[in-house]
Amino acid sequence: MLQQYDERNADLRYWVNGALRHRDEPGLSPFDSVVQGGDAVWEGLRLYDGGIYGLQEHLDRLRRSALSLAFEGIPADADIIAALRATLAANGMRDGAHVRLTLTRGVKVTSGMDPRLNRSGCTLIVLAEFKAPVYDTSGLTLVTSSVRRPSPDVLDPRIHHNNLLNSILAKIEANVAGADDAMMLDARGFVAETNATHLFAVTGGELLTPRAVACPEGITRDTVLRISPVPVHVRDIAQVEMYTADEVFCTGTMGEIAGVVTIDGRPIGDGKVGPVTRRIAELYRTHARENATKI
């Protein structure tokens, strides 16, 4: 299992709409929309030496997602940042922490799907944990899932929503197969992403990554596109191109940059994390630390 419990989180405090609570203290109403139907949006943030990398980009995506779902009473960026500051301070966190920022449609007056039942504005949840990048630096194994990523006509991936059943079903398949994660295809059969991260392939000294058609426009993905030391091409990628790539790696806030050494039992390149992957991982860590927004 890629993630493990960290004893430093035994007494952490989390934020719900202005109140800091112990991790064992309930703080979310059963009438909240995230409980009723996964009706919420979220962002994953990483803390580097008192700063959060890509903070404004994450807040912008959170707001776009909330507006796309017609949320009302969306808190201002300044209020969200204040909640982040309070939560990190309460937990004595300055580095090596991951934050799950969730914004729900809010509490309903009675159970039901209709957003008109929401009359009290959004619920803001800030959950910060001591958590190093979760992936093994020796390389990940993937299997292709039978579960497909939906296209924008089903559920637009630009909405960074909390209904993660599509990903969870793929992760279950990976678990059963004994792999670390699942590679997911789009409805046309092209590579989309994994159940949790974006994918890149290194082929012939160049970098390839799928178009953001059936995957979100990731903050870490965008950073790699900008800092890559080799040419980058964004296009449809066939499954076989991943099998035959020189290197494959995945990207995400929780795991940063992690090499992939096997897909569907096929070794990628020489079966080890490659030099381009290691170089980009190093560049990303330096870039994130140097450009984190102090809070």
Side-chain angles (χ1 to χ4, degrees):
M1 190 163 62
L2 298 175
Q3 296 192 57
Q4 301 292 332
Y5 173 67
D6 189 323
E7 290 288 349
R8 293 177 297 172
N9 295 319
D11 289 310
L12 65 81
R13 265 63 178 171
Y14 71 101
W15 171 287
V16 179
N17 272 7
L20 281 163
R21 303 174 183 272
H22 187 273
R23 64 173 294 157
D24 296 334
E25 180 186 359
L28 198 63
S29 168
F31 288 98
D32 196 278
S33 292
V34 71
V35 179
Q36 294 277 321
D39 189 5
V41 296
W42 69 281
E43 291 293 324
L45 313 174
R46 182 161 287 285
L47 186 66
Y48 296 94
D49 191 25
I52 291 176
Y53 176 64
L55 177 59
Q56 193 58 55
E57 290 85 347
H58 281 289
L59 293 178
D60 289 346
R61 186 170 66 176
L62 185 80
R63 185 169 301 278
R64 288 196 302 270
S65 297
L67 289 171
S68 297
L69 292 176
F71 282 14
E72 296 182 358
I74 301 170
D77 287 357
D79 294 330
I80 297 175
I81 292 171
L84 281 167
R85 284 198 186 106
T87 305
L88 293 172
N91 290 292
M93 293 174 175
R94 182 170 178 80
D95 197 71
H98 180 269
V99 182
R100 178 85 173 207
L101 185 65
T102 304
L103 187 69
T104 87
R105 193 182 297 275
V107 177
K108 294 178 177 291
V109 294
T110 187
S111 295
M113 183 187 302
D114 195 334
R116 291 173 295 183
L117 298 172
N118 293 80
R119 300 173 188 173
S120 57
C122 295
T123 299
L124 177 64
I125 306 167
V126 184
L127 174 61
E129 298 178 88
F130 289 107
K131 183 177 292 189
V134 299
Y135 294 121
D136 186 345
T137 56
S138 64
L140 305 177
T141 59
L142 305 181
V143 292
T144 303
S145 173
S146 66
V147 180
R148 297 294 179 95
R149 272 284 188 246
S151 54
D153 63 327
V154 177
L155 183 57
D156 198 318
R158 289 172 182 81
I159 303 174
H160 208 238
H161 58 83
N162 273 62
N163 192 327
L164 301 178
L165 287 177
N166 181 256
S167 296
I168 292 169
L169 288 168
K171 179 63 173 175
I172 290 170
E173 290 190 344
N175 290 347
V176 171
D180 292 313
D181 267 337
M183 183 169 75
M184 302 182 71
L185 309 180
D186 66 21
R188 304 165 302 151
F190 290 108
V191 175
E193 57 175 345
T194 76
N195 55 277
T197 57
H198 290 93
L199 279 167
F200 285 80
V202 181
T203 301
E206 298 186 332
L207 206 56
L208 307 177
T209 196
R211 295 189 298 129
V213 173
C215 66
E217 296 171 323
I219 309 301
T220 310
R221 171 185 180 271
D222 181 67
T223 301
V224 171
L225 293 177
R226 290 186 284 109
I227 69 172
S228 173
V230 299
V232 185
H233 302 282
V234 180
R235 62 170 175 80
D236 288 333
I237 300 176
Q239 186 177 10
V240 69
E241 291 184 89
M242 303 300 284
Y243 294 156
T244 59
D246 301 319
E247 302 176 38
V248 172
F249 63 87
C250 55
T251 68
T253 300
M254 186 175 286
E256 298 182 333
I257 312 297
V260 175
V261 296
T262 304
I263 303 177
D264 294 335
R266 297 161 172 83
I268 306 304
D270 62 3
K272 299 177 182 179
V273 178
V276 176
T277 299
R278 293 189 185 280
R279 176 61 176 149
I280 290 175
E282 178 184 351
L283 289 171
Y284 178 82
R285 284 191 296 269
T286 300
H287 180 84
R289 286 192 172 276
E290 291 179 348
N291 292 277
T293 301
K294 300 297 182 181
I295 65 166

